[in-house]
Coordinates of all heavy atoms in Angstrom, one line a residue:
M434 N 215.9 77.9 210.8 CA 215.4 78.9 209.9 C 216.5 79.2 208.8 O 216.2 79.3 207.6 CB 215.0 80.2 210.6 CG 214.5 81.3 209.7 SD 213.9 82.8 210.6 CE 215.5 83.4 211.3
Q435 N 217.7 79.4 209.2 CA 218.8 79.9 208.3 C 219.3 78.7 207.4 O 219.9 79.0 206.4 CB 219.9 80.5 209.1 CG 219.6 81.8 209.8 CD 219.2 82.9 208.8 OE1 218.1 83.0 208.4 NE2 220.2 83.7 208.5
N436 N 219.0 77.5 207.8 CA 219.5 76.4 207.0 C 218.3 75.8 206.2 O 218.5 74.8 205.5 CB 220.1 75.3 207.8 CG 221.5 75.6 208.3 OD1 222.4 75.8 207.5 ND2 221.7 75.6 209.6
S437 N 217.1 76.4 206.2 CA 216.0 75.8 205.5 C 216.1 76.1 204.0 O 216.8 76.9 203.6 CB 214.7 76.4 206.0 OG 214.7 77.8 205.8
D438 N 215.4 75.2 203.3 CA 215.3 75.5 201.8 C 213.9 76.0 201.4 O 213.7 76.3 200.2 CB 215.7 74.2 201.0 CG 214.7 73.1 201.2 OD1 213.7 73.2 201.9 OD2 215.0 72.0 200.7
L439 N 213.0 76.1 202.4 CA 211.7 76.7 202.1 C 211.2 77.2 203.4 O 211.1 76.5 204.4 CB 210.7 75.6 201.5 CG 209.3 76.2 201.4 CD1 209.2 77.2 200.3 CD2 208.3 75.0 201.1
I440 N 210.7 78.5 203.4 CA 210.1 79.1 204.5 C 208.7 79.5 204.1 O 208.5 80.2 203.0 CB 210.8 80.4 205.0 CG1 212.0 80.0 205.8 CG2 209.9 81.2 205.9 CD1 212.9 81.1 206.3
V441 N 207.7 79.0 204.8 CA 206.3 79.4 204.6 C 205.9 80.3 205.8 O 205.9 79.8 207.0 CB 205.3 78.2 204.5 CG1 203.9 78.7 204.3 CG2 205.7 77.4 203.3
S442 N 205.7 81.6 205.6 CA 205.4 82.5 206.7 C 204.0 82.9 206.6 O 203.5 83.4 205.6 CB 206.3 83.7 206.7 OG 205.9 84.7 207.6
I443 N 203.2 82.6 207.7 CA 201.8 83.0 207.7 C 201.5 83.9 208.8 O 201.7 83.6 210.0 CB 200.9 81.7 207.8 CG1 201.2 80.7 206.7 CG2 199.4 82.1 207.8 CD1 200.4 79.4 206.8
G444 N 201.0 85.1 208.5 CA 200.6 86.1 209.5 C 201.7 86.7 210.4 O 201.5 87.1 211.5
A445 N 203.0 86.7 209.8 CA 204.1 87.3 210.5 C 204.6 88.5 209.8 O 204.8 88.4 208.5 CB 205.2 86.2 210.7
R446 N 204.9 89.5 210.5 CA 205.4 90.7 209.8 C 206.8 90.6 209.3 O 207.2 91.3 208.4 CB 205.3 91.9 210.8 CG 205.4 93.3 210.2 CD 205.2 94.4 211.2 NE 206.2 94.3 212.3 CZ 207.4 94.9 212.2 NH1 207.8 95.6 211.1 NH2 208.3 94.8 213.2
L447 N 207.6 89.7 209.9 CA 209.0 89.5 209.6 C 209.8 90.8 209.5 O 210.3 91.2 208.5 CB 209.0 88.8 208.2 CG 208.4 87.3 208.1 CD1 208.5 86.8 206.7 CD2 209.2 86.4 209.1
G448 N 209.8 91.4 210.7 CA 210.6 92.6 210.8 C 212.1 92.2 211.1 O 212.4 91.0 211.1
F449 N 212.9 93.2 211.2 CA 214.3 92.9 211.4 C 214.6 92.2 212.6 O 215.7 91.5 212.7 CB 215.1 94.3 211.4 CG 215.2 94.9 210.0 CD1 214.9 96.3 209.9 CD2 215.4 94.2 208.9 CE1 215.0 96.9 208.7 CE2 215.5 94.8 207.6 CZ 215.2 96.2 207.5
K450 N 213.8 92.2 213.7 CA 214.0 91.4 214.9 C 213.9 89.9 214.5 O 214.6 89.1 215.2 CB 212.9 91.8 215.9 CG 213.2 91.1 217.3 CD 212.4 91.7 218.4 CE 210.9 91.6 218.1 NZ 210.4 90.1 218.1
E451 N 213.1 89.6 213.6 CA 213.0 88.2 213.2 C 214.1 87.8 212.1 O 214.6 86.7 212.1 CB 211.6 87.8 212.6 CG 210.5 87.8 213.6 CD 210.0 89.1 214.0 OE1 210.0 90.1 213.2 OE2 209.6 89.3 215.2
T452 N 214.4 88.7 211.2 CA 215.3 88.4 210.1 C 216.7 88.8 210.3 O 217.6 88.2 209.7 CB 214.8 89.1 208.8 OG1 214.9 90.5 209.0 CG2 213.3 88.7 208.5
G453 N 217.0 89.7 211.2 CA 218.3 90.3 211.3 C 218.6 91.2 210.2 O 217.7 91.4 209.3
T454 N 219.7 91.8 210.2 CA 220.1 92.7 209.1 C 221.6 92.4 208.7 O 222.4 92.0 209.5 CB 220.1 94.2 209.5 OG1 220.8 94.4 210.8 CG2 218.7 94.7 209.7
P455 N 221.9 92.6 207.4 CA 221.0 93.0 206.3 C 220.0 91.9 206.0 O 220.3 90.7 206.2 CB 222.0 93.3 205.2 CG 223.2 92.4 205.5 CD 223.3 92.4 207.0
L456 N 218.9 92.3 205.4 CA 217.8 91.4 205.1 C 218.3 90.3 204.2 O 217.7 89.2 204.2 CB 216.6 92.1 204.6 CG 215.3 91.3 204.5 CD1 214.9 90.6 205.8 CD2 214.2 92.2 204.0
N457 N 219.2 90.6 203.3 CA 219.6 89.5 202.3 C 220.5 88.5 203.0 O 220.9 87.5 202.3 CB 220.3 90.2 201.1 CG 221.6 90.9 201.5 OD1 222.1 90.9 202.6 ND2 222.1 91.7 200.5
S458 N 220.8 88.6 204.3 CA 221.4 87.5 205.0 C 220.4 86.5 205.6 O 220.8 85.4 206.0 CB 222.3 88.1 206.2 OG 221.4 88.5 207.2
W459 N 219.2 86.8 205.5 CA 218.1 86.0 206.1 C 217.7 84.9 205.1 O 217.4 85.1 204.0 CB 216.9 86.9 206.4 CG 215.7 86.1 206.8 CD1 215.5 85.4 208.0 CD2 214.5 86.0 206.1 NE1 214.3 84.8 208.1 CE2 213.6 85.1 206.9 CE3 214.0 86.4 204.9 CZ2 212.3 84.8 206.5 CZ3 212.7 86.1 204.5 CH2 211.9 85.3 205.3
A460 N 217.7 83.7 205.7 CA 217.2 82.5 204.9 C 217.7 82.5 203.5 O 217.0 82.3 202.5 CB 215.6 82.5 204.9
R461 N 219.0 82.7 203.3 CA 219.6 83.0 202.0 C 219.6 81.8 201.1 O 219.8 81.9 199.9 CB 221.0 83.6 202.2 CG 221.9 82.8 203.1 CD 223.1 83.6 203.5 NE 224.0 82.9 204.4 CZ 223.8 82.9 205.7 NH1 222.8 83.6 206.3 NH2 224.6 82.2 206.5
G462 N 219.4 80.6 201.7 CA 219.3 79.4 200.8 C 217.9 78.9 200.6 O 217.7 77.8 200.1
A463 N 216.9 79.7 201.0 CA 215.5 79.2 201.0 C 214.7 80.0 200.0 O 214.9 81.2 199.7 CB 214.9 79.4 202.4
R464 N 213.7 79.2 199.4 CA 212.6 79.9 198.7 C 211.6 80.3 199.8 O 211.5 79.7 200.9 CB 211.9 78.9 197.8 CG 212.8 78.6 196.6 CD 212.0 78.0 195.5 NE 211.5 76.6 195.8 CZ 210.7 75.9 195.0 NH1 210.3 76.4 193.8 NH2 210.4 74.7 195.4
V465 N 210.9 81.4 199.6 CA 210.1 82.0 200.7 C 208.7 82.3 200.2 O 208.5 82.9 199.1 CB 210.8 83.4 201.2 CG1 209.9 84.0 202.2 CG2 212.2 83.1 201.7
V466 N 207.7 81.9 201.0 CA 206.3 82.2 200.8 C 205.9 83.1 202.0 O 206.1 82.7 203.1 CB 205.5 80.9 200.8 CG1 204.0 81.3 200.6 CG2 205.9 80.0 199.7
V467 N 205.4 84.2 201.7 CA 204.9 85.1 202.7 C 203.4 85.4 202.5 O 203.0 85.9 201.4 CB 205.7 86.5 202.8 CG1 205.2 87.4 203.9 CG2 207.2 86.2 203.0
V468 N 202.6 85.2 203.6 CA 201.2 85.5 203.5 C 200.9 86.6 204.5 O 201.1 86.5 205.7 CB 200.4 84.2 203.9 CG1 198.9 84.5 203.8 CG2 200.8 83.0 203.0
D469 N 200.3 87.7 204.0 CA 200.0 88.8 204.8 C 198.9 89.6 204.2 O 198.8 89.7 202.9 CB 201.2 89.8 204.9 CG 201.2 90.7 206.1 OD1 200.2 91.5 206.2 OD2 202.0 90.5 207.0
I470 N 198.0 90.1 205.0 CA 196.8 90.8 204.5 C 197.2 92.2 204.1 O 196.4 92.9 203.3 CB 195.7 90.9 205.6 CG1 194.4 91.2 204.9 CG2 196.0 91.9 206.7 CD1 193.2 91.0 205.9
D471 N 198.3 92.7 204.5 CA 198.8 94.1 204.2 C 199.8 94.1 203.0 O 200.9 93.6 203.2 CB 199.4 94.7 205.5 CG 199.8 96.2 205.3 OD1 199.9 96.6 204.2 OD2 200.0 96.8 206.3
P472 N 199.4 94.7 201.9 CA 200.3 94.6 200.8 C 201.6 95.3 201.0 O 202.6 95.0 200.4 CB 199.5 95.4 199.7 CG 198.5 96.2 200.4 CD 198.1 95.4 201.6
G473 N 201.6 96.3 201.9 CA 202.9 97.0 202.2 C 203.9 96.1 202.8 O 205.1 96.3 202.5
E474 N 203.5 95.2 203.6 CA 204.4 94.3 204.3 C 205.0 93.3 203.2 O 206.1 92.8 203.4 CB 203.7 93.4 205.4 CG 203.2 94.3 206.5 CD 204.3 94.9 207.4 OE1 205.5 94.6 207.1 OE2 203.9 95.7 208.2
L475 N 204.3 93.1 202.1 CA 204.8 92.2 201.1 C 205.8 92.9 200.2 O 206.7 92.3 199.6 CB 203.6 91.6 200.3 CG 202.6 90.8 201.0 CD1 201.4 90.4 200.2 CD2 203.3 89.5 201.5
M476 N 205.5 94.2 200.0 CA 206.4 95.0 199.1 C 207.7 95.4 199.6 O 208.7 95.7 198.9 CB 205.6 96.3 198.7 CG 204.4 96.1 197.9 SD 203.4 97.7 197.9 CE 204.6 98.8 197.2
K477 N 207.9 95.3 200.9 CA 209.1 95.8 201.6 C 210.4 95.0 201.3 O 211.5 95.5 201.3 CB 208.9 95.9 203.1 CG 208.9 94.6 203.8 CD 208.6 94.7 205.3 CE 208.5 93.4 206.0 NZ 208.1 93.5 207.4
F478 N 210.2 93.7 201.0 CA 211.3 92.8 200.9 C 212.3 93.2 199.8 O 213.5 93.3 200.0 CB 210.9 91.4 200.7 CG 210.2 90.8 201.9 CD1 208.8 90.9 202.1 CD2 210.9 90.2 202.9 CE1 208.2 90.4 203.2 CE2 210.4 89.7 204.1 CZ 209.0 89.8 204.2
S479 N 211.8 93.5 198.6 CA 212.7 93.9 197.5 C 213.4 95.2 197.8 O 214.5 95.4 197.4 CB 211.9 94.0 196.2 OG 210.9 94.9 196.3
H480 N 212.8 96.1 198.6 CA 213.4 97.3 199.0 C 214.6 97.1 199.8 O 215.6 97.9 199.7 CB 212.4 98.1 199.8 CG 212.9 99.5 200.2 ND1 213.1 100.5 199.4 CD2 213.3 99.9 201.5 CE1 213.6 101.6 200.1 NE2 213.7 101.2 201.3
F481 N 214.7 96.0 200.5 CA 215.8 95.7 201.4 C 216.7 94.5 200.8 O 217.3 93.8 201.5 CB 215.3 95.3 202.8 CG 214.8 96.5 203.5 CD1 213.4 96.6 203.8 CD2 215.6 97.5 204.0 CE1 212.9 97.7 204.5 CE2 215.1 98.6 204.7 CZ 213.7 98.7 204.9
E482 N 216.6 94.4 199.5 CA 217.5 93.5 198.8 C 217.2 92.0 199.1 O 218.1 91.2 199.1 CB 219.0 93.7 199.1 CG 219.4 95.1 198.7 CD 220.9 95.3 198.9 OE1 221.6 94.4 199.3 OE2 221.4 96.4 198.7
R483 N 216.0 91.6 199.4 CA 215.6 90.2 199.6 C 214.3 89.9 198.9 O 213.2 90.1 199.5 CB 215.6 89.9 201.1 CG 215.2 88.5 201.4 CD 216.2 87.5 200.8 NE 216.1 86.1 201.3 CZ 215.4 85.2 200.7 NH1 214.8 85.4 199.6 NH2 215.4 83.9 201.2
D484 N 214.4 89.5 197.7 CA 213.1 89.2 197.0 C 212.5 87.9 197.6 O 213.3 87.0 198.0 CB 213.4 89.0 195.5 CG 213.8 90.3 194.8 OD1 213.4 91.3 195.2 OD2 214.6 90.2 193.8
I485 N 211.2 87.8 197.5 CA 210.6 86.6 198.0 C 209.9 85.9 196.8 O 209.6 86.5 195.8 CB 209.5 86.9 199.1 CG1 208.5 87.9 198.7 CG2 210.2 87.3 200.4 CD1 207.5 88.2 199.7
D486 N 209.7 84.6 196.9 CA 209.3 83.8 195.8 C 207.8 83.8 195.5 O 207.3 83.7 194.4 CB 209.8 82.4 195.9 CG 211.3 82.3 196.0 OD1 211.8 82.4 197.2 OD2 211.9 82.1 195.0
L487 N 207.0 83.9 196.6 CA 205.6 83.9 196.5 C 205.0 84.8 197.6 O 205.0 84.5 198.8 CB 205.0 82.5 196.7 CG 203.5 82.3 196.6 CD1 203.0 82.7 195.2 CD2 203.1 80.9 196.9
A488 N 204.5 86.0 197.1 CA 203.9 86.9 198.0 C 202.3 86.8 197.9 O 201.8 86.9 196.8 CB 204.3 88.4 197.6
V489 N 201.7 86.5 199.0 CA 200.2 86.3 199.0 C 199.5 87.3 199.9 O 199.6 87.3 201.1 CB 199.9 84.8 199.5 CG1 198.5 84.5 199.3 CG2 200.8 83.8 198.8
Q490 N 198.8 88.2 199.2 CA 198.0 89.1 200.0 C 196.6 88.5 200.3 O 195.8 88.3 199.4 CB 197.7 90.4 199.2 CG 197.0 91.5 200.1 CD 196.5 92.7 199.3 OE1 196.8 92.8 198.1 NE2 195.7 93.5 199.9
C491 N 196.5 88.0 201.5 CA 195.3 87.2 201.8 C 195.2 87.2 203.3 O 196.1 87.2 204.1 CB 195.6 85.8 201.3 SG 194.3 84.6 201.6
D492 N 193.9 87.0 203.8 CA 193.7 86.8 205.2 C 194.3 85.4 205.6 O 194.1 84.4 204.8 CB 192.2 86.8 205.5 CG 191.8 86.5 206.9 OD1 191.9 87.5 207.7 OD2 191.5 85.4 207.3
A493 N 194.9 85.3 206.7 CA 195.6 84.1 207.1 C 194.6 82.9 207.1 O 195.0 81.8 206.7 CB 196.2 84.3 208.5
A494 N 193.4 83.1 207.6 CA 192.4 82.0 207.7 C 192.1 81.5 206.3 O 191.9 80.3 206.1 CB 191.2 82.4 208.5
D495 N 191.9 82.4 205.4 CA 191.5 82.0 204.0 C 192.6 81.2 203.4 O 192.3 80.2 202.7 CB 191.2 83.3 203.1 CG 190.0 84.0 203.5 OD1 189.1 83.4 204.2 OD2 189.9 85.2 203.2
F496 N 193.9 81.6 203.6 CA 195.0 80.8 203.0 C 195.1 79.5 203.6 O 195.3 78.5 202.9 CB 196.3 81.6 203.2 CG 197.4 81.0 202.5 CD1 197.6 81.1 201.1 CD2 198.4 80.3 203.3 CE1 198.7 80.5 200.5 CE2 199.5 79.7 202.7 CZ 199.6 79.8 201.3
V497 N 195.0 79.4 205.0 CA 195.2 78.1 205.6 C 194.0 77.2 205.2 O 194.2 76.0 205.0 CB 195.2 78.3 207.2 CG1 195.2 77.0 207.9 CG2 196.5 79.1 207.5
N498 N 192.8 77.7 205.1 CA 191.7 76.9 204.7 C 191.9 76.4 203.3 O 191.6 75.2 203.0 CB 190.4 77.6 204.8 CG 189.9 77.9 206.2 OD1 190.3 77.1 207.1 ND2 189.2 78.9 206.4
A499 N 192.5 77.2 202.4 CA 192.8 76.8 201.0 C 193.8 75.7 201.1 O 193.8 74.7 200.3 CB 193.2 78.0 200.2
L500 N 194.8 75.8 201.9 CA 195.8 74.7 202.0 C 195.2 73.4 202.5 O 195.5 72.4 201.9 CB 196.9 75.1 203.0 CG 197.9 76.3 202.7 CD1 198.7 76.6 203.9 CD2 198.7 75.8 201.5
L501 N 194.3 73.5 203.5 CA 193.7 72.3 204.0 C 192.8 71.6 203.0 O 192.7 70.4 202.9 CB 193.0 72.6 205.3 CG 193.9 72.9 206.5 CD1 193.1 73.3 207.7 CD2 194.8 71.7 206.9
N502 N 192.1 72.5 202.2 CA 191.1 72.0 201.3 C 191.8 71.3 200.1 O 191.2 70.4 199.4 CB 190.3 73.1 200.7 CG 189.3 73.6 201.8 OD1 188.9 72.9 202.7 ND2 188.8 74.8 201.6
Q503 N 193.1 71.7 199.8 CA 193.7 71.2 198.6 C 194.8 70.1 198.9 O 195.2 69.4 198.0 CB 194.4 72.3 197.9 CG 193.4 73.4 197.3 CD 194.1 74.5 196.6 OE1 195.1 74.3 195.9 NE2 193.6 75.7 196.8
C504 N 195.3 70.1 200.1 CA 196.5 69.3 200.3 C 196.1 67.8 200.6 O 195.0 67.5 201.1 CB 197.3 69.8 201.5 SG 196.6 69.6 203.1
Q505 N 196.9 66.9 200.1 CA 196.8 65.5 200.5 C 197.4 65.3 201.8 O 198.3 66.1 202.3 CB 197.5 64.7 199.4 CG 196.9 64.9 198.0 CD 195.5 64.5 197.9 OE1 195.1 63.4 198.4 NE2 194.7 65.3 197.2
V506 N 197.1 64.2 202.5 CA 197.7 63.9 203.8 C 199.2 63.7 203.6 O 199.6 62.9 202.7 CB 197.0 62.7 204.4 CG1 197.8 62.3 205.7 CG2 195.6 63.0 204.7
G507 N 200.0 64.4 204.3 CA 201.4 64.3 204.2 C 201.9 63.1 204.9 O 201.2 62.3 205.5
D508 N 203.3 63.0 205.0 CA 203.9 61.9 205.7 C 204.1 62.2 207.2 O 204.6 61.3 207.9 CB 205.2 61.5 205.1 CG 206.3 62.6 205.2 OD1 206.0 63.6 205.9 OD2 207.3 62.5 204.5
G509 N 203.7 63.4 207.7 CA 203.8 63.7 209.1 C 205.3 63.7 209.5 O 205.6 63.6 210.7
G510 N 206.2 63.8 208.6 CA 207.6 63.8 208.9 C 208.3 62.5 209.1 O 209.4 62.4 209.4
T511 N 207.5 61.4 208.9 CA 208.1 60.1 209.1 C 208.9 59.6 208.0 O 209.7 58.6 208.1 CB 207.0 59.1 209.4 OG1 206.1 59.0 208.3 CG2 206.2 59.4 210.6
G512 N 208.8 60.2 206.8 CA 209.5 59.8 205.6 C 210.5 60.8 205.1 O 211.6 61.0 205.6

Side-chain angles (χ1 to χ4, degrees):
M434 178 175 71
Q435 293 296 85
N436 284 301
S437 64
D438 64 4
L439 175 68
I440 286 179
V441 178
S442 171
I443 303 177
R446 193 175 64 85
L447 295 177
F449 290 134
K450 185 166 63 65
E451 287 79 33
T452 65
T454 51
L456 189 56
N457 59 12
S458 72
W459 172 67
R461 53 195 176 273
R464 293 195 289 177
V465 179
V466 178
V467 179
V468 181
D469 201 295
I470 200 169
D471 187 340
E474 298 291 353
L475 299 171
M476 294 168 57
K477 70 185 181 187
F478 291 92
S479 60
H480 179 73
F481 292 108
E482 300 184 4
R483 179 57 168 99
D484 294 329
I485 54 178
D486 299 88
L487 181 61
V489 186
Q490 186 192 352
C491 182
D492 181 83
D495 292 338
F496 184 77
V497 173
N498 289 336
L500 289 173
L501 291 173
N502 289 337
Q503 296 179 38
C504 71
Q505 303 295 317
V506 176
D508 64 10
T511 59

